[in-house]
Amino acid sequence: MEIRILAPTGALGAGFRPESLERGVALLPHVIACDAGSTDSGPYYLGTGEPKLSREAVTRDLRLLLKARDTLGVPLIIGSCGTSGRDAGVDLVAGIAREIAAQEGLSFQLALIYADQDPAYLTRCYEQGRIRPLEPAPAIDRSTLTDGHVVGMMGVEPIQAALREGADVVLAGRASDTALFAAVPQVMGADPGLIWHAAKTVECGAACAIPPSADGLFVHLRADHFDVEPLDPDSRLTPHSVAAHTLYENANPYLVTEPSGVLDTTDAVYTALDARRVRVTGAVYRPSDTYTVKLEGSSLVGYQTIAVGGIRDRVVIEQLPTLLPMAQAYFRAKIHDVFQGRVDPDDVDIDYRLYGQDAVLGARDPDRDRTPHELGVLITVTAPTQAIAHAVATFVAHASSHLPIPQYEGLASTVAFPFSPPETDRGPVYRFTLNHVAVPGTPHEMFRTVHEEVTS
């Protein structure tokens, strides 16, 4: 038995070489699968429902994939549509698919799987003790589940059900990246350890290739091993590059947790078949006693205005640990004075992030005691409204450019701003609210599937 999987790229809209896809189609895959989402860019996309990648880029990739699926007559599975996997993202990609079908003369059975979570359902789960924290997890209460937006990350089961019910194209909301690639091989009866390990290997397309790129990988999954190769002839895989990808987005390089169990790659062996291909054996999949669905939540923090500046004065840099707390106290009094008590200073967050000193690693930076000769300064002002954030940022930026330096007599310039005006409004800002799982009654309970026939 051989099961063939085509992973055209790491994210729908990230792009891939048409020649690579053609090569993958020629190898006759049993399924084409592609992720379309990520949390890498933060909570904004889940909070707003807006996609990160452009409609034009998604349309370009989806057009090629729908035509490839039509040529092969195999399932096309796309997960986490619209970046966050919200219902709005599924509807967005479905609309694009219908437009392409009309333009290209394509017909197919379409399944839409929605992953938005009903606040009332989540509240019941919370009250019944069916929402559990992961490590580390923030403290939550009922309002965490009802304010903002929450999606559940589906496993293979809703996707497999959609395929059993006749879907040719599955557009899923938030989904486990690996589930997209594991769904069909699992139905075909392959070894679970090899299925999930192969799925983990190709979930980001050619990200594990040398050089990493937005392009595709192809898997030949057999009884006791899988072989993986890049679809670009000028790209290559090595045992090291393939093994290293198991660490990507995982705290543990050997254990990858899925809704239904854990992939254990402790005894996996990676062997070079030639200069471009790698054979993998030895992983096992350990089913869990309890089926869990990862929750992702995002809620509005406020509205933000930023100013970007720079400091190139050793004396100023050395004084910052004293100057910045002093400036914060001054700004609190200024807010009270300017707004005549209508704005509570506690409702306004003013933050200085110093690039070149603590901005990235903070207290864990091994070089944090070394005084840099130049600093980038990112000032963020977050407030209940955009108007308040902007108004506060104007006097924060102004005062920051003339902080009082004890060693200098008279007015000194401290922070220099490259833009005029220095203040830029960012609009609403969000935060992730959950690092939890839900325990549903069934793997399907948290997801809703709609089927439709798309005709040209």
Side-chain angles (χ1 to χ4, degrees), residues 7-360:
T9 186
L12 186 73
F16 51 84
R17 297 170 72 249
E19 299 85 353
S20 296
L21 180 63
E22 290 175 7
R23 184 166 182 268
V25 170
L27 293 171
L28 300 177
H30 292 90
V31 60
I32 304 172
C34 183
D35 184 28
S38 174
T39 58
D40 292 354
S41 297
Y44 176 84
Y45 304 98
L46 178 56
T48 63
E50 297 177 8
K52 180 178 181 179
L53 297 171
S54 73
R55 181 185 181 90
E56 291 79 7
V58 170
T59 301
R60 180 268 187 194
D61 286 2
L62 186 58
R63 185 185 304 279
L64 293 172
L65 297 185
L66 285 172
K67 292 170 72 173
R69 190 223 74 80
D70 190 67
T71 298
L72 293 164
V74 301
L76 170 63
I77 302 169
I78 296 173
S80 300
C81 291
T83 304
S84 65
R86 276 182 57 165
D87 291 358
V90 175
D91 290 337
L92 172 67
V93 178
I96 295 173
R98 296 184 193 103
E99 291 176 6
I100 294 170
Q103 294 165 359
E104 301 290 344
L106 303 176
S107 299
F108 47 83
Q109 294 293 325
L110 177 64
L112 310 178
I113 309 177
Y114 294 105
D116 281 13
Q117 297 303 307
D118 181 358
Y121 169 81
L122 293 176
T123 300
R124 287 197 301 276
C125 289
Y126 180 79
E127 293 171 344
Q128 295 167 359
R130 292 196 289 136
I131 292 181
R132 301 175 180 175
L134 300 174
E135 181 64 32
I140 65 169
D141 56 25
R142 289 176 179 79
S143 67
T144 310
L145 304 169
T146 56
D147 299 343
H149 212 95
V150 179
V151 293
M153 183 184 293
M154 72 184 75
V156 294
E157 295 81 2
I159 298 168
Q160 292 170 340
L163 296 173
R164 283 197 302 271
E165 292 160 4
D168 301 310
V169 177
V170 176
L171 300 180
R174 190 63 175 132
S176 161
D177 296 353
T178 45
L180 311 174
F181 304 91
V184 169
Q186 191 178 75
V187 170
M188 296 178 72
D191 175 82
L194 294 174
I195 290 173
W196 288 101
H197 199 184
K200 172 57 187 168
T201 300
V202 301
E203 57 158 341
C204 293
C208 64
I210 301 173
S213 64
D215 207 66
L217 294 183
F218 198 91
V219 168
H220 300 263
L221 177 60
R222 304 188 181 97
D224 60 356
H225 69 272
F226 68 87
D227 297 338
V228 57
E229 62 178 304
L231 290 172
D232 180 352
D234 293 328
S235 184
R236 63 189 176 93
L237 298 174
T238 69
H240 184 87
S241 73
V242 172
H245 193 68
T246 58
L247 178 59
Y248 179 63
E249 294 180 332
N250 287 290
N252 190 311
Y254 301 113
L255 304 177
V256 180
T257 302
E258 298 289 342
S260 62
V262 176
L263 170 67
D264 185 346
T265 67
T266 303
D267 296 323
V269 176
Y270 307 81
T271 306
L273 288 176
D274 51 35
R276 301 181 61 255
R277 300 181 300 153
V278 171
R279 173 163 294 179
V280 184
T281 62
V284 296
Y285 191 73
R286 307 188 190 285
S288 299
D289 295 333
T290 303
Y291 192 93
T292 58
V293 171
K294 179 77 164 55
L295 299 175
E296 293 176 352
S298 177
S299 67
L300 181 70
V301 173
Y303 296 81
Q304 196 169 78
T305 300
I306 66 170
V308 178
I311 304 174
R312 198 185 188 289
D313 185 311
R314 179 183 57 79
V315 175
V316 175
I317 291 172
E318 290 175 346
Q319 288 295 317
L320 288 177
T322 301
L323 290 174
L324 295 185
M326 182 184 68
Q328 290 281 8
Y330 169 77
F331 295 141
R332 287 181 62 86
K334 186 77 173 177
I335 290 170
H336 185 78
D337 182 41
V338 168
F339 294 99
Q340 296 293 296
R342 297 189 305 276
V343 176
D344 186 341
D346 288 341
D347 292 336
V348 181
D349 180 75
I350 302 169
D351 181 63
Y352 289 83
R353 179 161 291 196
L354 306 176
Y355 282 90
Q357 187 177 67
D358 287 352
V360 178

